[in-house]
Amino acid sequence: VIFNPNGGRVTPSTKQITVGGTYGTLPIPTRSGYNFDGWFTALTGGTEVTNTTNVTNTSNHSIYARWTAA
């Protein structure tokens, strides 16, 4: 999976995951002047991805950070 920080910064930027497993520990990105709201399957809309979300996507894919102004 590729972590798209959507204007912020994140380390690591990728993680090896297994279809049928969960995403496991997810990095927490940072962005000056914003609070991190979570990882989502799309920049807008989509569904939230957490450490317990089951991996169903069989190809490389991105998840996107969401932010709220502080």
Side-chain angles (χ1 to χ4, degrees), residues 5-44:
N6 187 22
R9 301 174 89 183
V10 67
T11 301
S13 60
T14 63
K15 180 180 180 177
Q16 187 78 25
I17 55 174
T18 304
V19 174
T22 62
Y23 281 85
T25 302
L26 299 171
I28 299 174
T30 58
R31 183 176 178 187
S32 182
Y34 289 83
N35 295 316
F36 176 61
D37 292 334
W39 292 105
F40 289 81
T41 58
L43 282 172
T44 58

Side-chain angles (χ1 to χ4, degrees), residues 39-66:
W39 292 105
F40 289 81
T41 58
L43 282 172
T44 58
T47 56
E48 187 172 12
V49 175
T50 68
N51 61 332
T52 60
T53 301
N54 290 322
V55 178
T56 58
N57 195 327
T58 59
S59 61
N60 290 338
H61 61 282
S62 294
I63 58 176
Y64 303 88
R66 288 265 177 90

